[in-house]
């Protein structure tokens, strides 16, 4: 059976802590502080280094409100004293305040950030080469279940700034995209849970039938 990667546990706990506050609500895309966030480490994929260069070169030339925190090396030990990436609580707050969340492929194109972004009401941004992996790759088709998701898919990261600048001038369309994504995600997760439960039940019944057919010696 298939199970989606889902958010990282520490990110999920941070989000739940924020959601427990009495005044919490998901901010509409058109009312968010940042046009997009770029929070990633460069070491897990060469494409991330290229994206970091594009952001560095074009970020100073745009009026878009963006948030960037790009580390050189990846570390799984979040919130530690030597951790160079953004702490999880701050990370989730940035996602909650961003219209878009850049989700460049790391070791795998299916990464935690996709799920964390949607849970926070932020629209993931990917490039076609990460979404539709056509080469021989151990993670080929990792995102095939996301093919119909209403996320932002770019031909190239070079299209990032002009595309987001155009979309930011269409607030109603952004809100509609955010709502459609939430509906798609809820349906996606519901179907996934149902498929997994059916798989487990079928396996249990099959295992039970096989055991029942065994003639035990007396």
């Amino acid at each position: 059976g298939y199970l989606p990667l889902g958010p990282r546990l520490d990110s999920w706990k941070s989000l739940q802590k924020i959601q427990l506050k009495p005044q919490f609500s998901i901010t509409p895309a058109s009312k968010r502080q940042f046009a997009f966030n770029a929070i990633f480490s460069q070491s897990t994929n060469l494409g991330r280094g290229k994206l970091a260069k594009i952001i560095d070169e074009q970020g100073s030339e745009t009026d878009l409100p963006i948030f960037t925190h790009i580390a050189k090396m990846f570390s799984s030990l979040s919130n530690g004293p030597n951790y160079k990436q953004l702490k999880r609580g701050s990370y989730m707050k940035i996602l909650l305040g961003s219209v878009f969340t850049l989700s460049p492929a790391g070791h795998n194109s299916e990464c935690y950030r996709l799920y964390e972004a949607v849970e926070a009401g932020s629209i993931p941004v990917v490039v076609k080469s990460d979404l539709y992996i056509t080469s021989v790759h151990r993670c080929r088709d990792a995102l095939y279940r996301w093919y119909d998701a209403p996320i932002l898919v770019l031909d190239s990261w070079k299209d990032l700034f002009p595309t987001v600048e155009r979309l930011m001038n269409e607030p109603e369309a952004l809100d509609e995209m955010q709502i459609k994504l939430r509906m798609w995600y809820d349906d996606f997760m519901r179907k996934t849970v149902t498929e997994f439960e059916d798989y487990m039940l079928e396996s249990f019944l099959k295992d039970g039938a096989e055991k029942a057919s065994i003639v035990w010696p007396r």
Side-chain angles (χ1 to χ4, degrees):
Y2 165 79
L3 281 178
L5 192 59
R8 268 180 60 139
L9 181 59
D10 49 4
S11 297
W12 177 248
K13 287 182 177 179
S14 295
L15 177 60
Q16 286 187 313
K17 187 175 180 180
I18 296 170
Q19 290 175 329
L20 287 174
K21 295 181 179 180
Q23 303 303 317
F24 174 81
S25 64
I26 290 291
T27 304
S30 61
K31 304 295 183 182
R32 297 199 165 201
Q33 180 180 1
F34 302 109
F36 71 78
N37 69 72
I39 306 172
F40 57 87
S41 55
Q42 298 183 49
S43 62
T44 55
N45 192 302
L46 291 175
R48 290 185 169 197
K50 296 177 181 178
L51 172 57
K53 185 177 180 181
I54 290 172
I55 294 172
D56 183 57
E57 292 174 348
Q58 299 184 25
S60 60
E61 301 174 359
T62 182
D63 293 328
L64 287 175
I66 64 176
F67 181 93
T68 63
H69 190 98
I70 303 173
K72 288 290 185 181
M73 300 299 296
F74 169 76
S75 173
S76 61
L77 301 176
S78 66
N79 299 328
N82 299 317
Y83 190 64
K84 301 300 182 182
Q85 294 161 255
L86 205 62
K87 299 296 187 292
R88 286 291 141 178
S90 300
Y91 167 73
M92 290 310 303
K93 288 179 181 178
I94 296 299
L95 265 61
L96 285 162
S98 302
V99 179
F100 296 102
T101 291
L102 307 193
S103 188
H107 294 302
N108 185 356
S109 52
E110 183 188 29
C111 55
Y112 294 118
R113 188 175 293 103
L114 280 170
Y115 299 91
E116 292 161 350
V118 182
E119 291 285 354
S122 186
I123 302 165
V125 184
V126 301
V127 289
K128 286 183 178 179
S129 58
D130 289 344
L131 183 61
Y132 309 107
I133 298 178
T134 56
S135 60
V136 177
H137 189 279
R138 63 179 181 175
C139 298
R140 184 176 179 177
D141 297 329
L143 290 180
Y144 81 94
R145 290 174 182 258
W146 286 75
Y147 287 174
D148 63 341
I151 60 178
L152 180 57
V153 182
L154 304 173
D155 289 330
S156 164
W157 287 118
K158 293 179 180 179
D159 299 327
L160 172 63
F161 281 90
T163 302
V164 174
E165 286 172 353
R166 174 177 57 81
L167 291 173
M168 290 299 291
N169 290 319
E170 304 173 9
E172 291 183 1
L174 287 176
D175 289 343
E176 184 177 356
M177 188 175 185
Q178 182 191 43
I179 292 171
K180 286 183 177 179
L181 177 58
R182 186 71 237 185
M183 293 174 64
W184 175 89
Y185 183 74
D186 288 345
D187 185 59
F188 164 64
M189 297 301 282
R190 191 180 302 109
K191 286 180 178 178
T192 300
V193 170
T194 299
E195 289 174 5
F196 185 74
E197 288 176 342
D198 289 345
Y199 172 81
M200 293 299 293
L201 179 59
E202 182 180 346
S203 298
F204 176 78
L205 293 175
K206 181 179 179 181
D207 183 59
E210 290 176 350
K211 289 181 178 179
S213 65
I214 297 175
V215 178
W216 299 97
R218 297 185 178 181

